Amino acid sequence: MMKKNLHPIDRIARGVIGIVIIGFLLLNNGYLQEPILEILLATFGVLNLISLISGWCPVYHLAGISSAKNK
């Protein structure tokens, strides 16, 4: 089971970043000419949105970091 390791402010920041990146990719009108870069950005945006929803970050988990308040 995944224990939440993100503080609510951290989750909000990730949500904003994810929405901005996905929005940019949907509305870029060919500004990015490199499909690999678009795929990497989309992956990064989606992973940020998943972290927003779940409250868990795999990178924080691997590094042993937690910004969540310990009760």
Side-chain angles (χ1 to χ4, degrees), residues 4-68:
K4 291 185 178 185
N5 61 4
L6 294 175
H7 188 273
I9 294 174
D10 198 2
R11 291 174 73 180
I12 291 169
R14 289 169 184 265
V16 169
I17 290 168
I19 290 169
V20 168
I21 289 174
I22 298 297
F24 170 75
L25 290 172
L26 292 173
L27 303 172
N28 78 37
N29 291 329
Y31 181 74
L32 293 175
Q33 298 289 325
E34 194 65 41
I36 293 174
L37 181 58
E38 289 180 346
I39 291 169
L40 289 173
L41 282 172
T43 303
F44 182 70
V46 168
L47 289 175
N48 273 303
L49 293 176
I50 291 171
S51 291
L52 163 70
I53 294 167
S54 69
W56 182 76
C57 175
V59 176
Y60 276 20
H61 178 75
L62 291 174
I65 300 170
S66 177
S67 63

